[in-house]
């Protein structure tokens, strides 16, 4: 890394008069003279004045300061940070897709609408649902949309007392948050020591005030919820619906379908299971699927296919009885294209391999480290598992210290302090895209950190030592973020 440039923003490198590119303005006179004076600038914009090598070096160096799945292993539990195949990028960047305008006539956008429709159909098949909308922008947005669908369904039956959503204590934080935003009240149900939902604790909570039960399977501790059919039966018997948080679909991909387990509404995170890039807050996509009978509650616009006299037409439509819009148009289209490319390149057989390999990789790491790290739930896991920090608690080394020490070795930290079921949660999800060599390297480093915790604890406590930024002030960064260069 170029130390001279590190920590600078492009404005710091500005020198009056420096140029990397020159616009002559020749040939623009007519356009300029036809603009109304009120739209003309009186002063030049405040832009950095820099030469081309400076710009290239600045941004190239910046791109290596962040950790990314293209630069190293990313075992971030609950996030499914799998490798993003480059062919997906090529497909999404095709000018035929990238240069489209949302409002252009549908007969000029048949390929794009067909891609949308095909992804919608493939996800319906994968999820065991009747129909999907791709419009929501993220998992949390999908949850909100799905819960709005559930509300609309109860409302349509004049069943207005259903104001509660039941979520397990192991649930991802977005579940209760989405329920609250949807205007529903959150009720928690506890888990058993083996990590699965306590069916006997759930039973008395089910009555005519419950709108839905939200669950993820495998749950956030990576354990398969084997009681779903029994739970679904109880939930349906009381008139409520089953919501599937599909963020953890990866290990089940092509093996079992949420629709077949008894879920009525679900979302999928394209930026997790379907390999589209995420991190840093986006972009993502959280398509929502519904079982037969709930399609009319999906948001607009909806993409449909019409076949007539051997001709096929794809089109989008606003349905009168739907929720209305939940996004400005048809979702994050470039993310959808990447997911479609992923599904089509893997094919049916390839998709079916993702889950078993992700499961194998997670269990391999778990079994290779269980003598040094505390394993609170000792079962075969699915795609991820949780350690409760180091087994030897006498060293005083915390999960935070371990996570930061991993950065020195070029590994992204696992998810830490989630789920909230344990004090020192360290949640590891290797995904199927990592080789045995990478897994072995990670295991060796984790073993080494456990040794350091005993022999040279200060080295672990003061980590990271080798990263461009060492110890940022987390609190100040959250409370007083500096997001613009110029003080406004
Ligand atoms: C990631 C995740 C979510 C939220 O998805 P976003 O796309 O980040 O909004 C919900 N539930 C679980 C279990 C998750 O892992």
């Amino acid at each position: 890394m170029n130390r001279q440039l590190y920590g600078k923003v492009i404005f710091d490198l500005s020198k009056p008069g420096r140029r990397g590119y020159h616009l002559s303005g020749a040939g623009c006179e007519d356009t300029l003279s036809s603009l109304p004076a009120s739209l003309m600038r009186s002063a030049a914009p405040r832009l950095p004045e820099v030469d081309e090598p400076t710009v290239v070096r600045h941004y190239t160096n910046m791109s290596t300061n962040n950790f990314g799945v293209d630069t190293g292993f990313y075992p971030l539990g609950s996030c499914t940070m799998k490798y993003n195949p480059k062919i997906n990028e090529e497909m999404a960047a095709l000018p035929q897709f990238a240069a489209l305008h949302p409002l252009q006539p549908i007969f000029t956008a048949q390929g794009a609408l067909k891609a949308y429709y095909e992804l919608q159909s493939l996800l319906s098949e994968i999820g065991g649902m009747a129909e999907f909308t791709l419009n929501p922008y993220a998992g949390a947005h999908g949850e909100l949309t799905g819960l709005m669908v559930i509300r609309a369904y109860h409302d349509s039956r004049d069943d207005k007392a259903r104001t509660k959503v039941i979520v397990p204590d192991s649930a991802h934080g977005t579940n209760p948050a989405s329920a609250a935003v949807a205007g529903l009240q959150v009720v928690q149900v506890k888990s058993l020591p083996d990590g699965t939902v306590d069916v006997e604790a759930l039973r008395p909570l089910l009555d005519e005030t419950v709108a839905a039960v939200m669950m993820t399977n495998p749950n956030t501790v990576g354990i398969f919820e084997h009681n779903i059919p029994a739970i679904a039966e109880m939930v349906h018997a009381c008139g409520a619906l089953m919501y599937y948080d599909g963020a953890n679909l990866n290990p089940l991909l092509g093996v079992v379908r949420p629709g077949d387990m008894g879920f009525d509404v679900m979302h999928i995170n394209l930026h997790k299971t379907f390999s589209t890039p995420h991190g840093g807050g986006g972009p993502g996509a959280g398509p929502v699927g519904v079982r037969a009978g709930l399609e009319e509650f999906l948001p607009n616009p909806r993409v449909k296919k019409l076949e007539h006299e051997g001709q096929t037409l794809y089109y989008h439509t606003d349905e009168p009885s739907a929720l209305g819009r939940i996004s400005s148009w048809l979702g994050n289209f470039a993310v959808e294209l990447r997911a479609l490319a992923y599904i089509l390149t893997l094919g049916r057989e390839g998709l079916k391999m993702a889950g078993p390999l992700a499961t194998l990789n997670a269990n391999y790491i778990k079994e290779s480290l269980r003598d040094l790290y505390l394993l609170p739930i000792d079962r075969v896991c699915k795609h991820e598992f949780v350690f409760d920090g180091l087994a030897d608690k006498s060293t005083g080394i915390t999960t935070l210290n371990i996570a930061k020490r991993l950065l020195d070795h070029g590994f992204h930290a696992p998810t830490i302090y989630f789920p909230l079921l344990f004090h020192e949660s360290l949640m590891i999800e290797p995904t199927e895209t990592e080789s045995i060599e990478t897994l072995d390297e990670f295991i060796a480093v984790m073993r080494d950190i456990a040794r350091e915790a005993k022999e040279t604890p200060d080295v672990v406590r003061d980590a990271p030592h080798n990263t461009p930024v060492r110890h940022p002030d987390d609190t100040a960064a959250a409370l007083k973020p500096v997001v613009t260069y110029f003080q406004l």
Side-chain angles (χ1 to χ4, degrees):
M1 201 215 352
N2 186 331
R3 292 279 158 194
Q4 238 184 328
L5 293 180
Y6 179 69
K8 297 213 157 85
V9 301
I10 193 84
F11 283 99
D12 294 327
L13 307 172
S14 182
K15 295 276 181 275
R18 287 273 166 86
R19 289 290 177 274
Y21 191 73
H22 192 73
L23 278 177
S24 73
C28 299
E29 295 84 356
D30 287 353
T31 317
L32 287 176
S33 60
S34 66
L35 283 176
S38 63
L39 293 181
M40 302 286 272
R41 280 185 174 279
S42 53
R46 279 195 295 186
L47 294 175
E49 298 181 72
V50 274
D51 53 276
E52 184 169 317
T54 301
V55 175
V56 171
R57 285 176 198 150
H58 177 71
Y59 286 108
T60 305
N61 280 309
M62 288 246 290
S63 76
T64 62
N65 286 339
N66 258 1
F67 196 98
V69 76
D70 282 351
T71 49
F73 180 43
Y74 215 128
L76 198 63
S78 191
C79 286
T80 309
M81 284 280 189
K82 57 171 93 174
Y83 176 72
N84 317 127
K86 296 299 165 248
I87 189 171
N88 300 355
E89 299 302 314
E90 282 171 39
M91 295 302 112
L94 286 175
Q96 292 90 329
F97 289 131
L100 280 176
H101 190 281
L103 295 179
Q104 72 187 59
I106 56 162
F107 61 85
T108 66
Q110 284 298 294
L113 289 167
K114 181 178 179 191
Y116 186 104
Y117 186 86
E118 294 215 331
L119 181 59
Q120 204 175 262
S121 312
L122 287 165
L123 294 181
S124 301
E125 193 182 335
I126 289 167
M129 293 282 144
E131 190 171 334
F132 258 84
T133 172
L134 312 182
N135 298 0
Y137 291 127
H141 195 198
E143 291 168 23
L144 174 62
T145 305
L147 290 169
M148 287 165 71
V149 165
I150 291 172
R151 272 195 80 152
Y153 161 78
H154 291 309
D155 281 353
S156 76
R157 295 154 46 93
D158 226 15
D159 198 355
K160 294 198 194 315
R162 296 191 182 271
T163 53
K164 292 183 193 157
V165 175
I166 300 179
V167 297
D169 54 4
S170 63
H172 192 269
T174 51
N175 291 183
S178 305
V181 174
L184 297 161
Q185 191 194 329
V186 180
V187 179
Q188 211 179 62
V189 59
K190 68 181 177 60
S191 302
L192 293 167
D194 74 355
T196 61
V197 164
D198 184 343
V199 179
E200 290 318 310
L202 176 63
R203 197 182 302 277
L205 301 176
L206 294 171
D207 60 24
E208 64 290 343
T209 64
V210 176
V213 174
M214 285 181 102
M215 288 184 70
T216 183
N217 193 19
N219 58 29
T220 61
V221 279
I223 300 294
F224 189 77
E225 295 274 0
H226 50 92
N227 284 323
I228 298 282
I231 292 174
E233 206 180 311
M234 282 161 51
V235 170
H236 290 146
C238 95
L241 298 185
M242 287 284 284
Y243 184 91
Y244 180 69
D245 172 346
N248 291 341
L249 184 66
N250 200 44
L252 309 189
L253 204 53
V255 182
V256 278
R257 309 193 306 170
D260 299 338
M261 291 181 212
F263 287 101
D264 304 288
V265 181
M266 67 180 286
H267 83 265
I268 285 176
N269 300 53
L270 296 186
H271 47 291
K272 295 181 180 172
T273 312
F274 295 93
S275 86
T276 76
H278 66 302
V288 169
V290 294
R291 67 150 164 80
L294 297 173
E295 300 95 325
E296 64 180 285
F297 304 108
L298 286 172
N300 285 322
R302 289 167 68 185
V303 172
K304 308 220 165 185
K305 175 173 156 179
L306 187 70
E307 282 179 336
H308 183 65
E309 293 179 356
Q311 302 266 44
T312 307
L313 179 76
Y314 296 92
Y315 63 104
H316 47 77
T317 172
D318 278 0
E319 302 280 313
S321 63
L323 282 193
R325 290 195 180 201
I326 49 92
S327 57
S328 57
W329 194 243
L330 293 168
N332 270 329
F333 187 56
V335 172
E336 295 158 13
L337 289 171
R338 289 179 176 93
L340 180 62
Y342 175 77
I343 295 173
L344 295 179
T345 42
L346 282 186
R348 192 180 287 271
E349 292 311 310
L351 275 186
K352 275 189 181 166
M353 302 246 319
L357 288 177
T359 301
L360 181 64
N361 284 357
N363 282 285
Y364 181 69
I365 296 181
K366 170 168 71 68
E367 293 303 314
S368 306
L369 292 173
R370 57 179 296 159
D371 56 328
L372 295 175
Y373 290 84
L374 187 63
L375 186 62
I377 297 178
D378 186 6
R379 285 180 56 175
V380 174
C381 65
K382 286 281 173 278
H383 61 307
E384 64 192 3
F385 65 93
V386 184
F387 283 134
D388 193 358
L390 281 164
D392 180 356
K393 298 289 179 209
S394 70
T395 65
I397 291 300
T398 63
T399 279
L400 180 66
N401 302 145
I402 297 164
K404 296 211 168 186
R405 185 67 178 132
L406 277 168
L407 299 175
D408 283 335
H409 293 275
F411 292 122
H412 195 278
T415 295
I416 58 172
Y417 301 108
F418 176 80
L420 307 176
L421 300 174
F422 316 108
H423 286 299
E424 290 289 329
S425 286
L426 185 73
M427 188 184 199
I428 297 174
E429 178 182 3
T431 79
E432 71 280 8
T433 46
E434 297 304 328
S435 67
I436 185 143
E437 289 78 16
T438 304
L439 301 184
D440 283 340
E441 258 181 79
F442 176 73
I443 289 164
V445 166
M446 286 289 281
R447 298 192 70 84
D448 215 41
I449 295 173
R451 181 188 53 75
E452 286 179 336
K454 270 201 198 117
E455 294 173 5
T456 51
D458 285 347
V459 172
V460 185
R461 208 171 284 120
D462 292 345
H465 304 271
N466 309 331
T467 51
V469 175
R470 285 196 55 208
H471 297 130
D473 181 343
D474 297 356
T475 314
L479 295 180
K480 296 181 188 152
V482 181
V483 294
T484 58
Y485 181 72
F486 297 111
Q487 293 302 316
L488 297 174

